[in-house]
Amino acid sequence: MLLLTLLVMALAVPAGLAVSPGFRGPALPPEPAAAGPWQQLPATLSVPGAGSGTAGGMRPLSADAPVPDAATVAAQLTATLKTDGAGSFSGVVQDALTGKVLFDRAADEVRAPASNIKLLTAAAALRTLGPDRRFSTKVVAGPTRGTVVLTGGGDVLLGAGESAPDAVLGHAGLATLAQSTVRALRKAGMAGRVTVLLDDSLFSGPSLSPAWSPDDVAAGEVAPLFPLALNSARFDPAVTTGPRPRDAAMTAAEAFADRLSAAGAAAGLTVAPGVARLPAGRKPAADAGGQSGKLLAEVQSATVSQQVDLLLRTSDNYLTEVMGRMVAVASGKPASNDGAVAAVLQQLEELKIPSATLRAADLAGLTLDNKVSARQLSAVIRAMTTGTDTRLRSALAGFPVAGLTGTLGSRYMDTSTSRGAGLVRAKTGTLNTVIALSGYVVDADGRLLVFSFIGNGLTPGAAGNKAALDRTASVLAACGCR
């Protein structure tokens, strides 16, 4: 029952943001006697669709809610934001609506942000590709009769079975694609043996970033990047740790060939053993007969918004890097490591986020070579919550919820952090000597705050560092701070 209560409270905040991006609405009492409606038990929340006329019957956040006192916030956070052993924390807290700085500790100092850097790709993808964009995996007629070409279009969340319309992982299924291909081949009068070719030429350059440690690749933290893959380059969608396929595109192509063989048996079609890559420069194009390159079948991915939700919630390294390359494609840049980084950073410039000091060696956050400041991360989150580009609002629901979802699902479980459970929404980040937490929270007075905290040079494995971040964010959730 406790988890259900927290979940209802957590879901209230993004809905309120969607209703009123500028946080205008019925004013809340300036000195509430109890927590606001976003922090109440489910029994006190409006019945969905009733009452105020806003979505779900909820009131939007109010711009008239009091802003916490900066000196009080600083005093409370100074007491909690302490390292366990070596290293130090930087950080910033801002009022989301006005940008007023409520806490600043070395906020402009660039540091290794670990997976907090994924926030940059999330914003760039929503701006460049758009929340509703889908990626297509296609089968086209090959360069010779009896050949078909499986063509990757950026969907690395393919499922091996039939398409699952209500899912993100497996939204597009290879079994469904194979069945559609058989129907198209039968309609064209094709019978006999079919040879499957693979076109994964959408991306360019090395498939692995030079910034990645070979140990991380071997451990499955990431894998060579391709524009199509099963299960975000996992052998089993239920197993999200351990080694990944070294050639995720070929693994997907072989799975498609198996599904095509099964689907084609009743139609008199057989599939030649083995899958070969389409030779470079041999991309199918319409021939004199109009067949080569003709679209035979297609499945589409979940939306970019849904994929951004997944990569933030689960901190999926592979999906993040592929999304960065798709941003590069949409920006007219090479779909390479360097092209992806350049395309993402270009979007920060267009958002007017100062980024001259920022350094990005990858987009997943697997290297200490990345350098981002707490203020830059906070600025990205401010753009998502209150910026003028409303496409960025789609990222908000993907932030893990303290004590409930994603990489925060097992945190905020003790008395020192329970005030933040169900209320703090933040992207986590962890490397051996790095820990970070950046996100947003509505305080006890109904004021939306954004924050970013980054620890570098920390003692590896020191449990107190994660607890310090969680306690600090919990202070903000409970803050009246006046």
Side-chain angles (χ1 to χ4, degrees):
M1 182 62 190
L2 175 60
L3 289 179
L4 177 60
T5 298
L6 294 175
L7 182 58
V8 171
M9 293 190 295
L11 293 177
V13 174
L17 301 183
V19 168
S20 180
F23 307 103
R24 303 287 178 180
L28 297 177
E31 293 288 341
W38 49 89
Q39 294 185 321
Q40 293 295 314
L41 295 176
T44 67
L45 293 175
S46 300
V47 176
S52 67
T54 59
M58 287 172 22
R59 289 186 293 170
L61 299 178
S62 172
D64 297 326
V67 178
D69 175 69
T72 305
V73 171
Q76 294 196 31
L77 267 55
T78 297
T80 58
L81 194 60
K82 298 178 178 179
T83 62
D84 180 4
S88 63
F89 283 116
S90 65
V92 66
V93 178
Q94 292 177 270
D95 176 56
L97 187 59
T98 66
K100 180 181 178 180
V101 176
L102 306 175
F103 174 79
D104 183 332
R105 181 190 292 176
D108 291 315
E109 180 182 302
V110 292
R111 294 181 159 214
S115 285
N116 275 205
I117 202 171
K118 290 182 172 75
L119 292 167
L120 311 187
T121 300
L126 291 170
R127 281 177 51 84
T128 307
L129 300 165
D132 298 326
R133 171 76 180 274
R134 298 177 188 269
F135 305 141
S136 293
T137 304
K138 301 177 180 180
V139 178
V140 301
T144 60
R145 183 169 176 80
T147 60
V148 297
V149 182
L150 177 66
T151 306
D155 187 1
V156 295
L157 302 180
L158 291 164
E162 295 188 358
S163 297
D166 296 329
V168 178
L169 188 67
H171 185 90
L174 294 181
T176 297
L177 184 62
Q179 293 160 11
S180 298
T181 302
V182 169
R183 288 193 293 270
L185 291 174
R186 289 184 63 185
K187 185 177 180 180
M190 178 67 188
R193 174 169 286 202
V194 177
T195 298
V196 176
L197 301 174
L198 169 63
D199 179 3
D200 59 357
S201 61
L202 182 62
F203 294 169
S204 60
S207 60
L208 289 171
S209 168
W212 293 336
S213 161
D215 292 338
D216 284 342
V217 176
E221 293 294 334
V222 74
L225 302 174
F226 295 95
L228 75 164
L230 287 167
N231 314 315
S232 196
R234 290 289 185 190
F235 291 106
D236 184 335
V239 180
T240 58
T241 58
R244 298 174 184 254
R246 294 288 296 179
D247 190 339
M250 186 57 71
T251 299
E254 290 169 348
F256 170 73
D258 290 342
R259 297 332 183 257
L260 187 64
S261 178
L269 294 171
T270 60
V271 177
V275 177
R277 277 188 165 84
L278 194 69
R282 289 286 305 278
K283 200 173 185 70
D287 60 15
Q291 294 302 309
S292 178
K294 179 181 178 181
L295 179 65
L296 299 175
E298 176 182 13
V299 288
Q300 292 193 322
S301 71
T303 65
V304 165
S305 175
Q306 291 170 316
Q307 294 188 57
V308 165
D309 182 297
L310 181 64
L311 77 83
L312 290 177
R313 179 164 39 85
T314 64
S315 202
D316 189 313
N317 296 324
Y318 196 89
L319 179 58
T320 302
E321 291 287 346
V322 168
M323 192 66 72
R325 292 200 179 202
M326 295 304 291
V327 170
V329 171
S331 303
K333 299 182 184 297
S336 61
N337 294 306
D338 291 344
V341 168
V344 168
L345 296 187
Q346 178 182 323
Q347 290 304 308
L348 291 190
E349 294 174 4
E350 293 184 11
L351 280 169
K352 309 301 182 185
I353 295 174
S355 55
T357 59
L358 191 154
R359 296 290 179 268
D362 79 344
L363 298 175
L366 291 171
T367 170
L368 294 174
D369 293 336
N370 293 324
K371 300 296 179 184
V372 185
S373 72
R375 197 182 309 278
Q376 288 163 338
L377 291 171
S378 180
V380 171
I381 300 168
R382 260 200 86 209
M384 291 173 172
T385 57
T386 58
T388 58
D389 190 341
T390 57
R391 293 173 296 182
L392 298 183
R393 303 286 189 273
S394 298
L396 296 177
F399 282 64
V401 181
L404 286 172
T405 66
T407 54
L408 286 182
S410 61
R411 292 164 61 170
Y412 293 79
M413 297 296 184
D414 60 30
T415 55
S416 70
T417 58
S418 60
R419 294 179 299 174
L423 298 173
V424 172
R425 286 177 168 265
K427 180 73 196 75
T428 58
T430 307
L431 293 174
N432 197 33
T433 59
V434 174
I435 191 168
L437 190 71
S438 300
Y440 64 97
V441 65
V442 178
D443 73 8
D445 287 330
R447 196 76 190 186
L448 182 70
L449 309 177
V450 297
F451 61 86
S452 178
F453 307 117
I454 307 173
N456 274 195
L458 306 176
T459 301
N465 291 318
K466 186 180 294 184
L469 291 184
D470 294 348
R471 284 195 300 270
T472 301
S474 295
V475 167
L476 296 178
C479 201
C481 299
R482 295 193 309 282

